[in-house]
Amino acid sequence: MTVVSSKSSSSKRKLRSDSNSTAASAATDSSSKEDASSSASSQPETSPKTSSMQIDDAGSSRLFQPHRSLGLLTAAHPAANAKNLSYSPSSHLFLSKRGKFHLQPQGHSSEETFVTVPLGERFQILTISKLVPTLVSRALPPSSEHHRMRTMRSVDTSNAQYSGGDEEEMHQAISDSSLSVTVATHGPKLLARAVSVTLYSRTRPLVCLDAFPFLEGKKTGRKNRWGIVDMINLGKRRMAMTGEKEGKMENTLLLAVVCARDDVVITNKKDNGGIDVVGNDSDDESDDESDLAGESNQITSSSSSSDSSEDDEDSIAGSERTPANDCYGRVLIVQASRTSMKIINTVDLSGIGSNFIPHVGLHPATYVNKILLGGRPTNTARNGTKQTSMILLNVRSGKMLHSFQCLSNSDGIITTLEQSPAVDTVAVGISTGSAHLINTLHDVELFALHHKGKQTSKKLSPDNAVSSISFRTDGNATRQGVAPLAVGCDDGSVSVWDLTPVKDDNDGTTRRTLLTQMEATHHGGVSKLQYLPGEPLLLSTGMASNSVLLHVFDAPDHSGRILRQRKGHTSPPRLLRYLHPGVGGGGILANASDGTDAASCQILSCGGPGDLSLRLFSTARTNLDKEYSQGPGLERKAKKLGLVGPEGRAELLLPEVAGLATSEARSRDWGDLVTIHKDHAMAYVWSTKRGSQTGPVLRQPQWNVSAMKKRPPRSAHATSVAISGCGNFSLIGTVGGVVYKYNIQSGIPRGSFPRDATSLTEEEERRRKKGIKVAGDVGRTMRMLEKNSMKGGVMPSDIDQAERDRISFMEAEEKRKAIVQRASHEGAVVGIAIDSLNKTVVTVGADSKLVLWNFVTHMPNKKSPIMLPSPATKLTHVRDSDLAAIGMRDFGVAVFDCSSLSIVRYFGGSRYASPNEMRLSHTGPISDMGFGPDGRKLFTSSLDGTIRVWDVPTGLCVDWMSFASPPTSIALSPTGEFLATSHVGHLGISLWCDKSFFRMVLLDGTPSEPAKMNEPQPVAECEQEEAEQSLSISMPRSVAVKDDSSVNGDNDEDGTNDGVPPQAKEEGLITLSGLPPGHWKNLFHLELVKERNKPKEAPQKPPQAPFFLQWRSGIDSSTNDDAENTGNTETSATNDSSNKDDGWDAVWSDDENGDDADDNADSNEEASDEAKQAKNDETESTKATKRRKVMHHRSKLAELLQNCSEEDSYSGVTRYLSTMGPSSIDVEISSLCYGAHDLDDGLHLLHLASLWLVEACESNQSFEAVNAYLHRFLHVHGNVIIQIDTDLKESENENLSEGAEDPQKLKLKEFADTISQLREKQRAASNRLQGKMQHTICLLRHLSRMV
């Protein structure tokens, strides 16, 4: 047995989506975490083979990281999507339990019931009340190395669809809410069977067990195809705890893991003419027998050297024991606690149970330590005598108690077992379509219910295999006198039988009544259904329907209706678009970022082949997801027309959606969504407000709506669609190159592009041929004019003029037709765009033409057509900048400026064909494109498996993402925060968040290689009262756990945030400080801010407190001072001085205690007998001390200026001021000098401050902040500087006459020279910056005027 601890598995894979882990995982109590860590550390580590496997877990690119997935509810059954689903034993053996849910009743109400549903590499727990996920687990740990290597050998890795063999898939999960644990079976996805068992503590995997360690080193033969087929809950068991809690007992979960070995060999179709050969393979048999012979020798030798018997072997040795040659089944008894899991017993189905392959299992009620196993006999056993299909096994003793013979006549496979409300009665489902009720005590079949496949017009389906059975146990059924039994089948139908016997009057036999049958409930077949205990509610999931349905049976006729449901696409979506994509896409909807409307969080999704639905997914709340209706009463119409099943209903649905367009302008008045469909000529108008197709059908008058009549020609099939900004018109492009214009409200055609393409109706054509008057006929008009002129005696000269006018008109018409013919498309129109003013229409076609049409006259522009380098395939347009991106067949993208009528950018394409330049272009067809909300970024997806983000102004590729599956469609949110993608083979929608919205992202150069993206996973959704937790879940991890210190921008005490401004890349460049604008902008208007912040009225005394509130005296400074003075005055003064060690207290305080402390310190140095002399010395010491304290404690800025002057570098001053607020900066600068009377001490500080500002202006760093400091310095000390300049001018003559200068005046002159130098430096920097700005503005203005 191989054990993988959570620590080792997370180090290898990091669980691949820790960024999408839910808040429920963080809610695990601390004690459970400690126990889990101690248990995980006690488990043995993985083998060297497993630890050597390297897995890329980067998962994000420059701009985007995984956020969440949408529309993914259940894991799809792989075989259910096949066109001809063959119910073979090999296909059903390991797939019978895949994707089936586990119900956890809580209390007596369905509102407290939870459902555990496997979902790919995870499981999610849904609430029955709303069917929303409340807990989503982390990814599965990897299986053992030898299983993954077995997968690599059995899969052709050279295949283009191969995506790696290390991806895990969960098959079954059983949860226990009292222990907060979940046990899941899983295996490599490409191996298609479960081989490992993993224990989860809430969302975190703890222990992973290998169920088949004996397969390590074996060949991939038939004898070695073991897998887990079922997992049975045996209840709770008390177990003694170990470690710190030794001696105490805890509850554990006891499970029976049923394993089986397949005996069917499917050879390669290529070697047998494309036909599957099912049977025994002699070569494979010989290889397996040789392997088993060698293994048996090894086992014999090891067992002979062992002193212990087989019964005394521990669980690890039992699980590692190689089964016998005739053993096709094994049962592992697993015991799981909150922190650990182990195998306590291993039971091989050999001896009397040999040649039996188990498929399903059941723990019968009141049967202690016993399980029922249902399956089939092996192919070898079938050739002989009759063999059993169900056995009763004692899991404690390992003995088979009974082999049931009541079902020996059945040729099918037992597919499901269900315990009935009655003891010793079990329902058994068979692959032939029958459900049997048997008495396990007497081995007697009570009765059988048969289900046959429905006959359709195409083929007769095989036997309808029973996939799930459930008994209804509520009191309403008992009061109505019925005993309902629900049976789910592989054709997707659910049959509800009444088990009450009814005697037939004709032959006297008893039969059971079919109450109701719900056909086509799940696409691909029913995976599992189960009645909720004590309630008339039936929960069901499908094999490939990607849905969870909750039916309620409250009708008098016992029919069911859907109470709650959650559905997704049944095939991978092909087209995604955000509903009303904001201002950038022409909409006017308020975005969710404004907090006004959440409608911009909705995505329209169109299903792929086989899925004809149009769905709406909400990125905020999954319970808002819905499917748009294609008309009322489709089910009734299908039954009325005799169309049975999903194929019959599909004939009434519209074909697969090929394109759609939305406009919010008139959404309240009429339809705001127009769709076109594959191989279909007509377009349909939908209302997103109603969520249905309610508008008119956009078609030409001569096109027949009925499918029974002649259909429109293939040249009329729609290929592209667009809606005008006003919301009144829709343009439909066709295969033939014609663009039709329709009114959305009425559906009436309003012409075409070109305008001559609109053909006459059949009636108009008939009237024209017979010469009947037709309105608008030019020939008829000319003939009528000639006739009237002859009657009136018109002169011949007038007739000649009319003839000349007619000829000139015909010549002009010929020229017009020639222009239109030259500009018209000769191939399919693949893209249409309309500007915001309804003046210009842009069309691109497969004939490499780009044509601009006049929206009103339907005439082409003079410069049309514009030839593209390659035929176009896609078109997307942004109305704000009037730019159109055109995808071409050479895998490149051209950006066309509709204002200048020229191509302004090329991204990729045939120009980058060399191997060195392949990273600059897509290497596959362009699948979709989209502009960002501001029009600066262009997103392109390609079938080469990548998505590129192009910066339109610079023409650079700023991001390059690679995916395991090629993207088929992309959609940008209105705010640009999220990117939605759909992928080949994925039923869900992947949502990615832009990291630039919550962190600084550097887009420097083109990426050298693509970033491998991790697949987003579903997230848990909390209730409304848990808003804070919901916010932390929906936001990316980097935002939810953001440190407060980084938000506030304050420096830490340990100096982790040094606050160094950014450095210039080249000498002479100007850099900004990067500080908030309020830091330096408020310095210019600080007086106004102070004026506004003044209190409007004096503070008022609070009202008297009520009598019932007791008053407790606080600590009053006066009281303390009195007490201290009473006790010891000298000690009080000393403590007061020590507490006020801040410089501000020393400067502004009027308290003399600090001076007294210095006095006491000086007086203690003198002799005690010289009191009078000490008093005089005390007075002189006090004066000196005051002056010295003012110089030192004037401000911290003054002290910093003095220190920096000694180091000849003032960079620390700028760094210090950048950490302060505007008011503190003002106080610091003001404290340098308090006026002309303070020049004795303040002049030196003003001079140092001017030297600092000169150095700061010369460095060109923190330009905006330094200028703000300079402005504040001049504003505060401007009067002093002016007074100094005036005094210097007045004293010039006196200095000349005296011949000598005063030292104080020399200092004033030196300060004035520094101020002049500062003025020149600031003026030079300002002029240089203004010149650069003016040059840039002129250049931009010049380029904008160029054509």
Side-chain angles (χ1 to χ4, degrees), residues 237-300:
R237 179 182 177 182
R238 301 283 290 178
M239 183 184 70
M241 302 181 66
T242 59
E244 298 179 355
K245 299 182 180 180
E246 186 176 2
K248 297 183 179 180
M249 303 295 290
E250 67 171 342
N251 287 328
T252 59
L253 186 64
L254 201 62
L255 301 170
V257 180
V258 183
C259 309
R261 176 165 62 95
D262 195 5
D263 68 333
V264 179
V265 177
I266 302 179
T267 60
N268 196 347
K269 295 183 179 182
K270 297 181 181 179
D271 300 335
N272 298 278
I275 302 175
D276 291 341
V277 179
V278 181
N280 296 329
D281 193 345
S282 59
D283 297 335
D284 183 62
E285 182 77 19
S286 60
D287 294 339
D288 295 335
E289 290 178 356
S290 62
D291 294 339
L292 290 174
E295 293 164 6
S296 61
N297 295 333
Q298 296 176 3
I299 295 172
T300 303

Side-chain angles (χ1 to χ4, degrees), residues 838-851:
N838 286 357
K839 290 185 177 181
T840 306
V841 177
V842 182
T843 61
V844 293
D847 54 357
S848 304
K849 288 184 180 180
L850 186 148
V851 185

Side-chain angles (χ1 to χ4, degrees), residues 213-382:
F214 57 86
L215 294 179
E216 185 174 3
K218 306 296 180 61
K219 297 182 180 180
T220 58
R222 177 171 58 86
K223 298 293 184 180
N224 299 327
R225 281 204 298 269
W226 283 86
I228 300 175
V229 295
D230 200 359
M231 186 165 53
I232 310 169
N233 189 354
L234 301 179
K236 302 289 182 58
R237 179 182 177 182
R238 301 283 290 178
M239 183 184 70
M241 302 181 66
T242 59
E244 298 179 355
K245 299 182 180 180
E246 186 176 2
K248 297 183 179 180
M249 303 295 290
E250 67 171 342
N251 287 328
T252 59
L253 186 64
L254 201 62
L255 301 170
V257 180
V258 183
C259 309
R261 176 165 62 95
D262 195 5
D263 68 333
V264 179
V265 177
I266 302 179
T267 60
N268 196 347
K269 295 183 179 182
K270 297 181 181 179
D271 300 335
N272 298 278
I275 302 175
D276 291 341
V277 179
V278 181
N280 296 329
D281 193 345
S282 59
D283 297 335
D284 183 62
E285 182 77 19
S286 60
D287 294 339
D288 295 335
E289 290 178 356
S290 62
D291 294 339
L292 290 174
E295 293 164 6
S296 61
N297 295 333
Q298 296 176 3
I299 295 172
T300 303
S301 61
S302 62
S303 60
S304 61
S305 62
S306 178
D307 296 331
S308 61
S309 61
E310 182 180 355
D311 296 337
D312 296 335
E313 290 180 350
D314 57 1
S315 61
I316 298 180
S319 63
E320 292 180 351
R321 182 178 64 250
T322 302
N325 192 17
D326 60 346
C327 180
Y328 289 88
R330 169 176 283 187
V331 179
L332 304 177
I333 308 303
V334 178
Q335 187 176 16
S337 65
R338 289 184 175 90
T339 59
S340 63
M341 182 175 62
K342 61 181 179 179
I343 299 176
I344 61 175
N345 194 13
T346 302
V347 180
D348 288 343
L349 302 182
S350 58
I352 190 173
S354 60
N355 296 325
F356 172 75
I357 303 178
H359 280 236
V360 292
L362 173 69
H363 178 46
T366 70
Y367 283 54
V368 182
N369 296 328
K370 300 174 184 66
I371 61 173
L372 277 175
L373 296 180
R376 63 177 177 88
T378 61
N379 293 330
T380 305
R382 287 186 177 185

Side-chain angles (χ1 to χ4, degrees), residues 1225-1286:
I1225 294 174
D1226 177 62
V1227 173
E1228 290 278 358
I1229 295 177
S1230 301
S1231 63
L1232 297 179
C1233 183
Y1234 300 114
H1237 62 278
D1238 192 27
L1239 288 179
D1240 293 340
D1241 298 329
L1243 180 61
H1244 178 62
L1245 297 177
L1246 291 179
H1247 187 217
L1248 294 179
S1250 61
L1251 292 177
W1252 156 60
L1253 292 173
V1254 169
E1255 179 183 324
C1257 291
E1258 290 178 346
S1259 64
N1260 291 333
Q1261 292 185 0
S1262 302
F1263 187 81
E1264 82 284 14
V1266 169
N1267 279 271
Y1269 303 153
L1270 175 59
H1271 173 271
R1272 197 63 199 169
F1273 175 78
L1274 297 177
H1275 179 81
V1276 173
H1277 304 291
N1279 296 330
V1280 177
I1281 297 174
I1282 294 174
Q1283 183 66 31
I1284 292 174
D1285 184 66
T1286 304

Side-chain angles (χ1 to χ4, degrees), residues 1327-1340:
N1327 293 338
R1328 182 167 174 266
L1329 179 61
Q1330 290 181 1
K1332 293 292 185 181
M1333 294 293 293
Q1334 185 66 25
H1335 176 75
T1336 304
I1337 293 174
C1338 294
L1339 183 60
L1340 291 176

Side-chain angles (χ1 to χ4, degrees), residues 787-1068:
K787 184 177 180 180
N788 294 335
S789 63
M790 294 300 295
K791 289 181 179 180
V794 182
M795 298 298 294
S797 59
D798 296 336
I799 298 176
D800 294 341
Q801 182 64 33
E803 182 67 17
R804 287 193 298 270
D805 293 342
R806 188 181 68 84
I807 294 174
S808 62
F809 173 76
M810 296 302 295
E811 290 177 354
E813 188 69 14
E814 291 295 332
K815 292 181 180 179
R816 186 191 65 82
K817 290 182 178 180
I819 296 174
V820 173
Q821 182 66 25
R822 184 175 67 253
S824 299
H825 291 286
E826 300 175 359
V829 179
V830 298
I832 306 174
I834 310 173
D835 66 348
S836 57
L837 300 178
N838 286 357
K839 290 185 177 181
T840 306
V841 177
V842 182
T843 61
V844 293
D847 54 357
S848 304
K849 288 184 180 180
L850 186 148
V851 185
L852 281 80
W853 306 84
N854 188 291
F855 186 84
V856 179
T857 63
H858 297 189
M859 287 294 295
N861 189 278
K862 295 180 180 179
K863 293 187 178 182
S864 298
I866 299 174
M867 300 306 297
L868 300 173
S870 179
T873 58
K874 299 284 182 181
L875 172 69
T876 182
H877 180 258
V878 55
R879 288 172 178 164
D880 289 346
S881 58
D882 210 9
L883 294 178
I886 306 162
M888 299 177 290
R889 289 184 184 176
D890 62 350
F891 313 149
V893 179
V895 179
F896 182 79
D897 189 353
C898 299
S899 301
S900 61
L901 305 182
S902 60
I903 297 177
V904 294
R905 290 288 185 274
Y906 278 108
F907 300 124
S910 57
R911 299 184 304 144
Y912 302 97
S914 61
N916 297 331
E917 296 178 341
M918 289 298 293
R919 64 184 184 89
L920 302 177
S921 173
H922 285 293
T923 58
I926 304 295
S927 58
D928 204 357
M929 300 183 300
F931 277 100
D934 55 357
R936 292 181 58 89
K937 291 186 179 66
L938 175 64
F939 297 77
T940 59
S941 64
S942 174
L943 295 183
D944 60 1
T946 63
I947 291 179
R948 292 176 181 265
V949 183
W950 309 90
D951 187 64
V952 177
T954 61
L956 297 178
C957 177
V958 295
D959 201 2
W960 187 9
M961 296 172 281
S962 176
F963 304 88
S965 181
T968 56
S969 182
I970 59 176
L972 271 298
S973 65
T975 58
E977 296 175 272
F978 299 102
L979 171 67
T981 61
S982 62
H983 299 266
V984 175
H986 289 190
L987 298 180
I989 300 174
S990 300
L991 203 63
W992 316 83
C993 61
D994 192 343
K995 295 188 292 185
S996 63
F997 278 80
F998 52 85
R999 72 171 63 163
M1000 182 175 294
V1001 177
L1002 298 179
L1003 303 178
D1004 189 8
T1006 302
S1008 58
E1009 59 181 12
K1012 297 181 180 180
M1013 308 295 290
N1014 282 343
E1015 189 68 24
Q1017 300 299 332
V1019 297
E1021 297 182 4
C1022 301
E1023 300 298 330
Q1024 185 67 26
E1025 58 268 14
E1026 300 175 356
E1028 296 180 359
Q1029 296 182 6
S1030 177
L1031 179 62
S1032 64
I1033 295 172
S1034 59
M1035 292 300 294
R1037 178 172 294 272
S1038 58
V1039 178
V1041 298
K1042 197 170 184 179
D1043 192 6
D1044 293 338
S1045 61
S1046 62
V1047 177
N1048 299 331
D1050 299 334
N1051 290 343
D1052 298 336
E1053 295 180 0
D1054 56 354
T1056 56
N1057 187 9
D1058 52 4
V1060 177
Q1063 301 295 326
K1065 294 184 178 181
E1066 296 181 4
E1067 186 178 357

